Amino acid sequence: MFKLKTILFLFLAGISILLVSCKLNKENLAEKAAGIHDQVLTVDTHCDTPMRLLRSDYNPGDKHDPRQGGGKVDFQRMKEGGLDAMFFAVFIGQGERTEEGNEKAKNLAFNIFDAIKKAVKDNQDIAQLATSPEDAYKIQDEGKRAIFIGIENGYPIGNDLSLIEKFYEMGARYITLCHTRNNDICDSSTDSEGPEHNGLSDFGISVVKEMNRVGFMVDVSHISDSAFYDVLKISTAPVIASHSCARALCDNPRNLTDDMLRVLADNGGVIQICFVSEYLKTPEPFPERDSARLALREKYKDFQNLSDAEMDSARYEWYAIDRKFPPKLATVADMADHIDHVVELVGINHVGIGTDFDGGGGLKDCFDVSEMENVTLELVKRGYNSKEIEKIWGGNLMRVFRKVRDIAEKES
Ligand SMILES: [Zn+2]
């Protein structure tokens, strides 16, 4: 009897020790992650929030509810989530490739630049415009949010190479060469009509060279595989994929194959893993949602050439489908699998974060920018040390950023 009691006592004591140490371990990890997250420069290379800035009722200085259509990024929630720097995308959907279409795209780009600058200026106590790595670290020290500008789609360049320098002077620091359809620069990875140039066009080659000369980061997200290889052959500076994932883990043309990742690493570049569920994890079939989306696409003619009012109702109906058939979102762990994959393949120096918030990005447990610390927690749990996490969160991107600028300075 005595023996049985002793055994029972020892057993219970053992379990309590285990539970306490588990709890301590969990607290330690969370504390460690919070410390690292607070210390390192955290950079996200892609959000499409500026489209909201064109609407006069959206002030990114106010706090919004992302589950009530409020968007996933504002300055207050950036602070809450410990995100120091964000690239705001000047996104131009691909339209007519005519003189008139190009002109319209250019003017829209100018308007979005203005809207970003006004939003930052109106909220100077919390945010500041940044155009260099040094700016980012300085603004971080001041406890403010650093806002960079990137251009998503080279369409607004039209046929005028001189606009590249103009956009640089206006403060942009990367250009994604195309979007979901082919343009005059290159083929897209997702154009339903297939390739048109078999990679970069002759004009596209001049665009990449001019970007190298001016000091722009060339962004290879969205472009076709052949265009990717063409860019990597031509660019004298490292390139970025501002929001893409690994195709080995999720077979989607928007993602980079292992071979592309090796070539990217050889070039000294970086892939910024994005938070779009369908690029992270092959989606399970969801026929009701798929057919509702397809019907909407048809109703709004593939969202091409819509008036502002039509675009508004298309967007409204798109989100209504989300509410009716909520998407099955990927998790931070799914996203971290892509980071692990890149690290195992080419080492720690070629991977970062580019969420695509407000452009389709958002995870179950990192739904908006206020939850970014969950990323660091997951990396800590997976055994990444603070030095490695610093590289993933911004160090790698800033290395490329500096190198692109150094090469441009040498060329001029
Ligand atoms: Zn995109």
Side-chain angles (χ1 to χ4, degrees):
M1 191 61 201
F2 172 74
K3 243 184 173 175
L4 191 69
K5 267 189 179 168
T6 315
I7 290 169
L8 193 66
F9 172 77
L10 288 175
F11 177 70
L12 288 175
I15 286 204
S16 348
I17 290 170
L18 206 68
L19 285 175
V20 168
S21 73
C22 252
K23 190 162 178 259
L24 276 179
N25 190 29
K26 224 174 167 182
E27 277 169 10
N28 280 346
L29 285 180
E31 212 172 284
K32 190 176 169 193
I36 295 173
H37 195 73
D38 191 45
Q39 212 192 354
V40 303
L41 177 76
T42 48
V43 185
D44 176 345
T45 45
H46 197 86
C47 76
D48 282 313
T49 311
M51 285 197 282
R52 292 174 175 269
L53 302 180
L54 286 179
R55 304 198 323 231
S56 54
D57 62 337
Y58 193 84
N59 178 1
D62 297 337
K63 193 173 163 178
H64 303 81
D65 183 349
R67 294 180 199 273
Q68 298 300 325
K72 297 192 172 171
V73 179
D74 55 48
F75 301 145
Q76 289 197 38
R77 277 179 295 150
M78 274 180 77
K79 186 166 184 173
E80 221 176 284
L83 183 70
D84 299 310
M86 174 68 104
F87 278 77
F88 275 37
V90 171
F91 162 68
I92 314 289
Q94 187 61 49
E96 299 279 336
R97 285 152 58 186
T98 56
E99 212 169 297
E100 199 194 340
N102 292 345
E103 187 67 16
K104 219 168 127 190
K106 180 182 77 178
N107 289 329
L108 178 59
F110 286 164
N111 289 343
I112 303 175
F113 270 93
D114 289 346
I116 296 173
K117 287 179 181 175
K118 182 177 182 302
V120 174
K121 198 167 165 232
D122 288 349
N123 294 285
Q124 277 182 64
D125 53 322
I126 183 166
Q128 218 168 301
L129 212 61
T131 55
S132 69
E134 295 75 18
D135 283 350
Y137 291 101
K138 189 171 153 274
I139 296 167
Q140 181 201 15
D141 276 350
E142 291 166 2
K144 293 187 189 178
R145 308 302 110 195
I147 307 303
F148 285 100
I149 300 175
I151 300 177
E152 183 173 33
N153 196 355
Y155 175 36
I157 298 168
N159 307 111
D160 183 358
L161 280 180
S162 75
L163 281 172
I164 294 173
E165 191 158 10
K166 166 96 179 152
F167 287 134
Y168 187 90
E169 281 164 4
M170 290 172 74
R173 288 298 176 264
Y174 73 68
I175 301 175
T176 318
L177 297 178
C178 73
H179 191 237
T180 52
R181 292 164 67 204
N182 304 336
N183 63 13
D184 287 339
I185 298 170
C186 66
D187 293 332
S188 166
S189 60
T190 52
D191 195 309
S192 51
E193 316 241 304
E196 174 184 334
H197 314 286
N198 287 319
L200 275 175
S201 68
D202 288 345
F203 177 66
I205 293 173
S206 327
V207 167
V208 171
K209 286 183 177 165
E210 179 64 2
M211 286 176 74
N212 283 162
R213 188 190 71 79
V214 167
F216 252 120
M217 288 184 275
V218 179
D219 179 12
V220 297
S221 284
H222 282 290
I223 75 177
S224 73
D225 292 7
S226 324
F228 169 91
Y229 286 110
D230 281 354
V231 169
L232 272 281
K233 241 180 269 155
I234 285 154
S235 179
T236 53
V239 306
I240 65 167
S242 74
H243 57 304
S244 292
C245 299
R247 207 179 295 174
L249 300 193
C250 179
D251 189 9
N252 186 302
R254 274 282 285 105
N255 291 340
L256 275 58
T257 64
D258 285 356
D259 185 65
M260 289 159 87
L261 288 169
R262 284 191 203 98
V263 173
L264 182 82
D266 281 347
N267 149 283
V270 62
I271 177 172
Q272 305 283 103
I273 302 298
C274 90
F275 288 20
V276 176
S277 293
E278 57 198 278
Y279 305 157
L280 287 167
K281 237 181 131 178
T282 307
E284 290 167 34
F286 198 161
E288 300 92 335
R289 179 181 162 86
D290 294 347
S291 52
R293 279 192 159 190
L294 193 69
L296 192 72
R297 240 177 223 290
E298 277 165 13
K299 180 176 170 190
Y300 288 98
K301 300 172 206 103
D302 222 8
F303 310 116
Q304 300 307 321
N305 307 318
L306 298 184
S307 69
D308 288 351
E310 284 171 325
M311 197 65 204
D312 273 351
S313 32
R315 200 172 287 132
Y316 179 82
E317 289 178 46
W318 184 266
Y319 287 122
I321 293 174
D322 269 357
R323 280 193 296 274
K324 197 166 172 198
F325 307 111
K328 292 163 192 160
L329 296 177
T331 62
V332 170
D334 295 325
M335 190 279 300
D337 287 347
H338 285 252
I339 294 182
D340 284 354
H341 179 79
V342 178
V343 171
E344 276 159 28
L345 194 73
V346 293
I348 190 72
N349 295 322
H350 306 284
V351 65
I353 305 282
T355 58
D356 205 4
F357 279 143
D358 291 331
L363 304 171
K364 196 170 173 213
D365 41 357
C366 189
F367 189 69
D368 76 349
V369 72
S370 71
E371 297 179 297
M372 288 294 227
E373 201 175 308
N374 289 343
V375 172
T376 307
L377 181 59
E378 182 64 27
L379 296 175
V380 168
K381 279 186 194 162
R382 290 182 184 219
Y384 287 97
N385 64 35
S386 60
K387 218 176 148 199
E388 291 165 331
I389 293 173
E390 187 274 328
K391 287 185 173 194
I392 294 170
W393 258 129
N396 289 336
L397 191 269
M398 291 302 163
R399 178 198 74 235
V400 173
F401 202 159
R402 281 193 206 94
K403 184 88 186 175
V404 167
R405 190 180 55 189
D406 289 352
I407 288 172
E409 275 165 9
K410 252 181 234 157
E411 278 188 15
S412 63

